[in-house]
Amino acid sequence: SDLSQMPPALFSVGTEDALVDDTLRCFEKFRAAGNEASVHIWPGAPHGVGHFGPHASTPLGMRARRATEAWICSFGIEGRS
């Protein structure tokens, strides 16, 4: 796949997520293609931390959500509170 000229992306993953290796590999490929990308790695967090499931309302989940919203707002786009 041609990943060049993509918009900025945030890759956010917990270390307990079954997809952590895939997420980090995609992040590296995205950056290698010359795109702007950020990665947030959440120690001990499961899949979807901060976005859905029972862990979304935990302190870690809320920190992850705030970090995602801050990343979005850094582009002048308002996140949901």
Side-chain angles (χ1 to χ4, degrees), residues 1-4 20 27 33 52 55-56 59 64 66 71 76-79:
S1 297
D2 181 10
L3 296 176
S4 63
V20 65
F27 167 72
F52 55 82
H55 53 275
R66 283 192 303 270
W71 184 85
I77 303 167
E78 292 297 320

Side-chain angles (χ1 to χ4, degrees), residues 29-68:
K29 286 183 177 183
F30 203 83
R31 294 278 310 253
N35 299 299
E36 181 181 340
S38 300
V39 65
H40 294 167
I41 302 171
W42 301 99
H47 182 73
V49 64
H51 303 288
F52 55 82
H55 53 275
S57 60
T58 66
L60 177 60
M62 290 186 289
R63 270 197 336 265
R65 184 178 188 99
R66 283 192 303 270
T68 299

